Amino acid sequence: MRRALVRALSRPLILAAAAVAIPLGSAAPAASDGVVVGGFPVDVSESPWTVALSSRDRFGGMRSGQFCGGVAVGPSTVLTAAHCMSEDVLGAPPGQLADLKVVAGRTDLYRDTGQEVSVRSVWVNPGYDSVGNAGDFAVLTLAQPLPAGTVIGMAAEGDPAYEAGTDAVVYGWGDSTGFGAYSHSLRAARVHVLSDASCERAYPGTSGGTYDARSMVCAGEVRGGRDACQGDSGGPLVAQGRVIGLVSWGSGCGRPGSPGVYTRVSDAVKTLGWTRALRDPTRPPEGV
């Protein structure tokens, strides 16, 4: 969750794979016990809605071609970060990437468990601001539905899950140290939702980025040490059983005073017109 390309400043948290020249700058030290950053290993059965985005043609096959994360919010619908779908990352418009897939039900990316589902279409939020990072979300529509039980609900505007101090968990296969040590097994980190005021102080619009409470939510620890990192972009931030955020941007990984910034899912719900789907569980959101 950071800005677009440089983690040591503030940039989106995509995977800096050898196949793509994504400059990382000099990474800052980050507290870690060998997982997400300051996190722990988790089996995907505990969070079946957490999926990996994959392109072996672009990122190689060692880690199933993973480069970003995503979250299943409908049987055939995955939310991810808009910056994951940029040409800077993919090398071409997403519609031209023939092997773009979603990997579901796979804890260890070195294995072939679970399933790989082709992406039928990609919708990137036209209001996404790649400079300020506002509106950082995209919708992937899958060629076939995921198994039952792989979908998580979304938190709408005003949901108490967004309140400062709420316990939350972020999931991903990204950098576990802040120094480019990418995990091949799913990790999670426990964080807390932070107040908008604290995030505005951390990112007031200087070189570290600008926090916008309308489209962003931030989470982490005041002392640092627990955070998402490169490769986790688009993955879910979950609180009270609902997804409240998508890994987007920030400054460094696990730095004190530099919390992670997430796309506010309620803003995506409103933009996409999915409010009715939240009120009626029999009508899950399906594509755009």
Side-chain angles (χ1 to χ4, degrees):
M1 14 181 257
R2 298 328 184 216
R3 225 155 58 108
L5 303 179
V6 184
R7 172 69 191 219
L9 299 176
S10 52
R11 67 345 185 155
L13 302 190
I14 42 185
L15 173 60
V20 188
I22 300 177
L24 292 181
S26 56
S32 172
D33 61 12
V35 290
V36 171
V37 165
F40 54 93
V42 62
D43 192 272
V44 76
S45 63
E46 300 175 43
S47 58
W49 18 262
T50 303
V51 300
L53 306 192
S54 164
S55 170
R56 287 181 171 79
D57 288 349
R58 181 67 170 162
F59 295 94
M62 181 175 292
R63 298 173 68 259
S64 299
Q66 188 267 345
F67 64 95
C68 271
V71 56
V73 296
S76 302
T77 307
V78 167
L79 276 177
T80 189
H83 72 256
C84 288
M85 295 292 105
S86 70
E87 289 192 44
D88 286 339
V89 175
L90 301 180
Q96 296 180 17
L97 200 67
D99 73 331
L100 180 60
K101 294 181 179 179
V102 161
V103 181
R106 183 172 300 171
T107 300
D108 189 338
L109 297 174
Y110 285 174
R111 300 184 180 276
D112 60 359
T113 53
Q115 63 183 128
E116 298 184 14
V117 181
S118 296
V119 174
R120 187 177 70 201
S121 64
V122 176
W123 181 90
V124 177
N125 177 22
Y128 168 53
D129 176 2
S130 61
V131 176
N133 302 310
D136 187 14
F137 65 91
V139 180
L140 311 183
T141 301
L142 307 183
Q144 63 187 73
L146 296 173
T150 58
V151 173
I152 188 171
M154 296 173 288
E157 188 173 7
D159 193 300
Y162 292 108
E163 293 179 1
T166 300
D167 293 334
V169 181
V170 58
Y171 299 86
W173 289 268
D175 187 353
S176 63
T177 65
F179 294 100
Y182 294 100
S183 173
H184 59 87
S185 288
L186 182 62
R187 309 288 181 172
R190 294 188 179 95
V191 294
H192 289 96
V193 177
L194 302 178
S195 69
D196 291 329
S198 66
C199 292
E200 287 165 354
R201 287 193 297 270
Y203 301 109
T206 60
S207 60
T210 304
Y211 180 78
D212 177 4
R214 295 169 299 179
S215 65
M216 302 172 189
V217 60
C218 97
E221 299 300 317
V222 173
R223 297 180 180 179
R226 300 178 188 171
D227 199 358
C229 202
Q230 295 279 45
D232 292 323
S233 281
L237 176 69
V238 176
Q240 299 182 359
R242 298 174 292 284
V243 59
I244 65 171
L246 307 173
V247 176
S248 183
W249 67 282
S251 179
C253 300
R255 290 177 173 178
S258 298
V261 185
Y262 298 76
T263 301
R264 188 178 287 262
V265 166
S266 61
D267 181 61
V269 167
K270 183 166 57 176
T271 300
L272 293 162
W274 284 354
T275 306
R276 182 177 178 183
L278 297 189
R279 295 196 301 264
D280 183 0
T282 66
R283 299 174 61 113
E286 290 297 336
V288 177

